[in-house]
Amino acid sequence: MKVNDVILQTVSKIATFIILTFGVYLFLAGHHEPGGGFIGGLVLASALVLLYLAFDIQTVEKGIPINYRLMAGIGVLVSVCTGISSLFYGTNFLNMEFDYFNLPIFGETELTTVTIFEIGVSLAVIGTALTIILSISEDVD
């Protein structure tokens, strides 16, 4: 017997959009305020977990065909390469460089190398969290 989850699925779609937006905000705010790749990644992963709870795994995997184990590995690789690349410039491991650029829509914007590191951390957190949660759910079935 299939349970009628129309209300749960409708609310989950709206809540997922809000959570994803908040996760991106936390990721971007992490440079100067509390947040960053780890916290933003956890919030983004929680939005995806909500989709897995509202819909079944096969439905979500059709819409979001991502290998989370590969995502976690790529995230770790990006973070490590960011740290190692600073050694090639004769600076310390994980040294941060920044500069201001005049972007067409945003105006004068600060771009830093730590953003690349945070992208790697975020990918690693999302990939690891969803790999663990999906592995646990497979054991229950």
Side-chain angles (χ1 to χ4, degrees):
M1 182 174 122
K2 185 167 174 99
V3 178
N4 189 358
D5 295 331
V6 174
I7 295 174
L8 174 66
Q9 292 174 351
T10 304
V11 171
S12 296
K13 289 177 187 176
I14 297 167
T16 298
F17 178 75
I18 294 169
I19 294 169
L20 287 174
T21 304
F22 184 61
V24 170
Y25 168 76
L26 283 176
F27 172 78
L28 294 174
H31 185 64
H32 294 291
E33 298 171 9
F38 188 82
I39 296 171
L42 281 178
V43 172
L44 292 172
S46 70
L48 296 174
V49 169
L50 179 62
L51 285 178
Y52 280 108
L53 290 174
F55 301 91
D56 57 278
I57 292 176
Q58 291 80 21
T59 303
V60 176
E61 286 181 349
K62 282 182 189 173
I64 308 171
I66 296 174
N67 183 347
Y68 295 110
R69 290 184 178 127
L70 181 63
M71 176 188 273
I74 290 172
V76 170
L77 184 67
V78 167
S79 295
V80 170
C81 287
T82 303
I84 290 174
S85 67
S86 62
L87 297 176
F88 292 115
Y89 293 104
T91 59
N92 295 328
F93 183 73
L94 289 175
N95 186 43
M96 182 182 86
E97 297 293 329
F98 69 96
D99 203 356
Y100 292 93
F101 296 93
N102 224 349
L103 300 178
I105 295 174
F106 300 108
E108 187 176 65
T109 305
E110 180 187 51
L111 296 177
T112 66
T113 56
V114 73
T115 305
I116 299 169
F117 174 77
E118 294 290 343
I119 288 171
V121 170
S122 183
L123 289 175
V125 168
I126 293 169
T128 304
L130 286 171
T131 298
I132 292 170
I133 290 170
L134 291 176
S135 296
I136 291 171
S137 71
E138 288 173 358
D139 289 343
V140 174
D141 291 339

